[in-house]
Amino acid sequence: MADRRGPGGHGSTGEHDRGGVFRRGGDPGSPDEFEKLYRPRESEQRVVGETRRMPPADEVPPLRREKKRRRTHSDPREYDGRGIKRRAREKRKRRFRTVLITAAVVLLIVPLGFYLWADSRLERVEALQDYEGRPDDGRGTVHMVVGSDSRDGMDDDRMQELATGDAQGQRTDTIMLLYTPRDGDSTIVSVPRDSYVPMAVPGYADNKINTAYADSTCGTDEEGEEICGGPAPLVETFERASGVQVDHYVEIGMGGFVDLVDAVGGVELCPESPMSDPKAGLDVEAGCQEMDGGTALGYVRTRDSPRADLDRIQRQREFFSALIQEATAPSTMFNPFRAGPLVIAGTDTFTVDEGDKLRHLAGMLLDMRGGIGTTSIPVAETPTLPNVGSVVVWDESRSEMMFEAMREGEPIPEEAMED
């Protein structure tokens, strides 16, 4: 067989078969292309500068703490692999929702429930009725406030304690208007109970206005239906005589009167002279003093004074003004131990029109917080008439001036005011 040898005389079993021997052509003193690929660069072999030494501990500057950067929506969420942070966040959210719902119940649902409950306690009657010729609705607001001398709900001991007597039926010694103009303060206007006006009860001619309220006053209308005195005939009688429409009706009995005063802790009243009236259960000294419910009731009922009924209506306005101021005082409104009993006493004793709500009573109180003026329908004379007795005749000119202001929603002029 022919011997195969390479150019250098090496064959298949030549020197190139020995392990660790690899030859290339070129200059033996310089690196070839293959070595250039793997040989370290000269810059990497050379040491640059001096050896760096750590400074002494007392020369080390304090470590600056970087401010924690607020996480943004673009930052990735951090996961700890066990869900601890996620569960903690969900627990905080559930706790926040629980607190929020509890606060909503306390601040909204409980007061709303109390309001609805209190509103349902009000006794309602059909006092404001439409009839032919009724005056147009005025631009101001008129509340008619009636004090009834009904003894309903009072036992013998209670009547004896308050010296109310045991008269049966219903009558009224107190008729007032709370008038609130469009702008300005409210005014309490007394309507003398002996005001001589045309009656709204069928079969009755002119008579004292409180006769229209007495349940013993009865007549038969054109259709043969019997109509007796009460809230509706009283309101209609006043509206026909004055030309002023009544917007709201409020009535309170003797027992409720006492409870209302006691609920606000009493009222301060200022008799100018000592007063003693066994019939009214009253015995007080002159000067300003705190009166409880029973004493205040005797104070507004007594007629043991020089001008009798005219003096009494002044005391009634004084009392009503003092009661409103006490009921709307911050010490009462923001004190649950006073506000609660006041609402309970009021809703237990007030009688209102079918269309009136508890919010109308609250609005009546708030209307009088800024200031209250007091007056009476101007009086011209107080004659004594056959079969009627002593009556009060309104001053035609001045009373019309007052009523015109009420119809227009304007403040009552000074010249129409009456002491």
Side-chain angles (χ1 to χ4, degrees):
M1 178 180 291
D3 186 13
R4 296 180 181 178
R5 299 180 182 276
H10 305 291
S12 59
T13 59
E15 192 175 2
H16 67 277
D17 292 331
R18 287 181 298 170
V21 178
F22 190 84
R23 300 281 188 241
R24 287 192 181 89
D27 187 359
S30 60
D32 60 13
E33 295 299 324
F34 185 81
E35 291 176 328
K36 288 180 180 179
L37 293 175
Y38 295 96
R39 177 178 292 182
R41 296 188 180 122
E42 182 179 355
S43 60
E44 295 176 351
Q45 299 175 1
R46 188 173 63 245
V47 177
V48 180
E50 298 179 355
T51 302
R52 185 176 179 184
R53 298 181 182 277
M54 295 295 293
D58 57 350
E59 296 181 7
V60 176
L63 180 64
R64 293 183 179 180
R65 295 183 179 273
E66 295 183 0
K67 293 183 178 179
K68 187 176 181 181
R69 187 171 64 87
R70 295 182 61 185
R71 188 172 179 272
T72 63
H73 292 289
S74 61
D75 292 337
R77 292 185 178 182
E78 297 179 1
Y79 296 93
D80 59 5
R82 293 176 295 172
I84 296 177
K85 293 184 177 180
R86 174 181 56 79
R87 288 194 295 271
R89 286 195 302 269
E90 292 177 352
K91 186 176 181 180
R92 287 194 298 270
K93 290 181 179 179
R94 288 195 299 268
R95 187 183 300 116
F96 177 75
R97 285 196 296 266
T98 301
V99 172
L100 191 63
I101 293 173
T102 303
V105 169
V106 173
L107 298 178
L108 297 176
I109 299 179
V110 171
L112 178 60
F114 180 75
Y115 171 85
L116 295 176
W117 172 79
D119 184 72
S120 67
R121 288 166 53 88
L122 291 171
E123 184 178 350
R124 291 179 166 85
V125 296
E126 193 176 359
L128 308 179
Q129 299 180 346
D130 287 329
Y131 53 86
E132 185 177 354
R134 188 182 185 192
D136 295 332
D137 189 10
R139 297 184 180 181
T141 303
V142 178
H143 290 77
M144 176 175 281
V145 182
V146 175
S148 170
D149 65 356
S150 173
R151 279 76 169 172
D152 290 346
M154 300 174 64
D155 57 24
D156 293 341
D157 293 339
R158 184 66 164 167
M159 288 189 289
Q160 184 176 358
E161 176 188 354
L162 300 177
T164 63
D166 56 357
Q168 301 299 314
Q170 66 175 28
R171 288 159 300 278
T172 177
D173 290 333
T174 306
I175 306 172
M176 289 185 291
L177 307 173
L178 173 62
Y179 168 62
T180 305
R182 289 177 298 174
D183 296 308
D185 295 335
S186 300
T187 303
I188 299 172
V189 181
S190 291
V191 180
R193 68 166 193 166
D194 293 335
S195 297
Y196 191 63
V197 292
M199 291 287 101
V201 179
Y204 279 78
D206 295 1
N207 210 315
K208 299 178 181 181
I209 192 170
N210 68 339
T211 304
Y213 179 81
D215 55 3
S216 59
T217 303
C218 298
T220 304
D221 61 10
E222 296 178 353
E223 299 177 356
E225 182 179 355
E226 184 181 52
I227 296 177
C228 295
L234 174 64
V235 171
E236 183 178 344
T237 296
F238 171 77
E239 288 182 341
R240 289 186 180 276
S242 64
V244 174
Q245 184 180 125
V246 175
D247 301 300
H248 305 284
Y249 178 85
V250 181
E251 177 185 316
I252 184 171
M254 285 186 179
F257 178 101
V258 174
D259 294 339
L260 203 60
V261 175
D262 290 340
V264 298
V267 292
E268 185 180 60
L269 299 171
C270 303
E272 296 181 356
S273 59
M275 303 181 68
S276 179
D277 184 1
K279 293 182 179 180
L282 180 67
D283 186 8
V284 296
E285 300 294 331
C288 295
Q289 55 199 282
E290 197 82 9
M291 295 188 185
D292 60 14
T295 306
L297 177 62
Y299 184 74
V300 299
R301 288 182 60 220
T302 183
R303 284 182 285 181
D304 188 13
S305 58
R307 296 197 307 163
D309 196 54
L310 295 180
D311 286 338
R312 180 165 66 172
I313 63 175
Q314 282 189 330
R315 291 191 296 273
Q316 291 170 350
R317 295 199 307 268
E318 177 194 2
F319 161 77
F320 192 58
S321 177
L323 177 62
I324 294 301
Q325 293 299 328
E326 192 67 35
T328 58
S331 59
T332 299
M333 297 186 67
F334 300 107
N335 183 349
F337 297 102
R338 281 195 174 185
L342 175 63
V343 173
I344 294 173
T347 55
D348 192 39
T349 58
F350 281 134
T351 299
V352 298
D353 179 64
E354 290 182 340
D356 286 330
K357 305 293 183 183
L358 182 60
R359 59 185 175 86
H360 294 121
L361 292 176
M364 180 181 74
L365 295 178
L366 294 177
D367 283 345
M368 293 183 286
R369 289 191 64 190
I372 309 175
T374 62
T375 187
S376 174
I377 295 178
V379 176
E381 55 181 336
T382 57
T384 300
L385 303 179
N387 301 323
V388 179
S390 178
V391 299
V392 172
V393 178
W394 295 346
D395 185 305
E396 185 175 348
S397 176
R398 294 171 62 211
S399 62
E400 177 56 30
M401 188 183 303
M402 172 183 286
F403 298 145
E404 178 63 22
M406 297 172 72
R407 288 191 288 265
E408 297 298 324
E410 300 293 336
I412 298 175
E414 289 291 337
E415 52 268 34
M417 293 286 193
E418 181 86 356
D419 291 336

